[in-house]
Amino acid sequence: MWIMPLEWDALYRRAYDGVNYRLRGFAGGRLAGLCRPTSVVFLLTELCNAKCVHCDIWRNKGKEDSPTLDQWKTVVRDLRSWLGPIHVAFSGGEALLRPFTTDLAAYASELGLFLEVLTHGYWDDQSRIEKLALARPGRITMSIDGIGDTHSLVRGREKFWEKSFTSLQTLKRVREEKNLGYVIRLKTVVMSHNLHDVANVAKFAAENGMEVFY
Ligand code: SF4
């Protein structure tokens, strides 16, 4: 498979997204059936080690019957051949619970896909976060619902903020040390539990070279 230079990938995505978005409404929607996906999200697992107040996924227990690394690689490669270097996201559950997620991420990045990986960052083992950074995704998105105790309360485990914060510091450090270009995005679910703190997330993002998405 021919891999385009990075800047061509970005140009391709802009043109591809523009055409597909416009096609939906063009001619009263009669051509909408020709549209192709502009973004594909893979749920690598339905397990999670957080305990969020707004989600029940963490209640799932037991062994999962999900694809192997080689099977995922085949899917990712086929997708790249079909649609080109589009936006692909790895999510879950907690995507980093899968031991092969960082290897799969490196593979998807090498294929030229604009890869986003979502994580809650609740990891003591920072080598996992470093490996994710070195997989060269286009964006790493971390769920952050507030600063300090608000975040830990929403995420349902003690010291959640402290661990997520450490992971964010690792992402910043590796980005700088290795001169990598990934965006660090903070993703905030707005709810009554954190309404008082959502502006602080934006402030934190601005002060730390990150972006925020509500
Ligand atoms: S981190 Fe995400 S998947 Fe896990 S319990 Fe919270 S919202 Fe659900």
Side-chain angles (χ1 to χ4, degrees), residues 48 50-52 54-55 57-58 92-93 120 155:
C48 188
K51 220 173 171 186
C52 298
H54 56 291
C55 173
I57 281 187
W58 56 269
H120 53 37
R155 295 280 144 183

Side-chain angles (χ1 to χ4, degrees), residues 115-185:
L115 180 70
E116 175 177 13
V117 182
L118 291 91
T119 176
H120 53 37
Y122 182 71
W123 294 108
D124 287 322
D125 174 14
Q126 288 299 296
S127 67
R128 195 182 302 239
I129 300 295
E130 286 182 12
K131 213 173 161 205
L132 172 61
L134 295 173
R136 296 175 179 267
R139 181 160 64 220
I140 298 174
T141 298
M142 197 178 294
S143 308
I144 296 290
D145 297 308
I147 303 300
D149 288 347
T150 307
H151 182 60
S152 299
L153 281 171
V154 171
R155 295 280 144 183
R157 290 197 181 277
E158 279 186 14
K159 306 275 181 204
F160 213 109
W161 164 253
E162 285 79 356
K163 293 189 187 187
S164 297
F165 178 77
T166 301
S167 295
L168 287 171
Q169 295 305 109
T170 299
L171 290 176
K172 268 181 69 179
R173 176 179 56 76
V174 177
R175 183 171 65 177
E176 196 176 311
E177 282 175 2
K178 304 289 181 186
N179 199 21
L180 298 173
Y182 55 78
V183 170
I184 303 171
R185 172 181 278 187

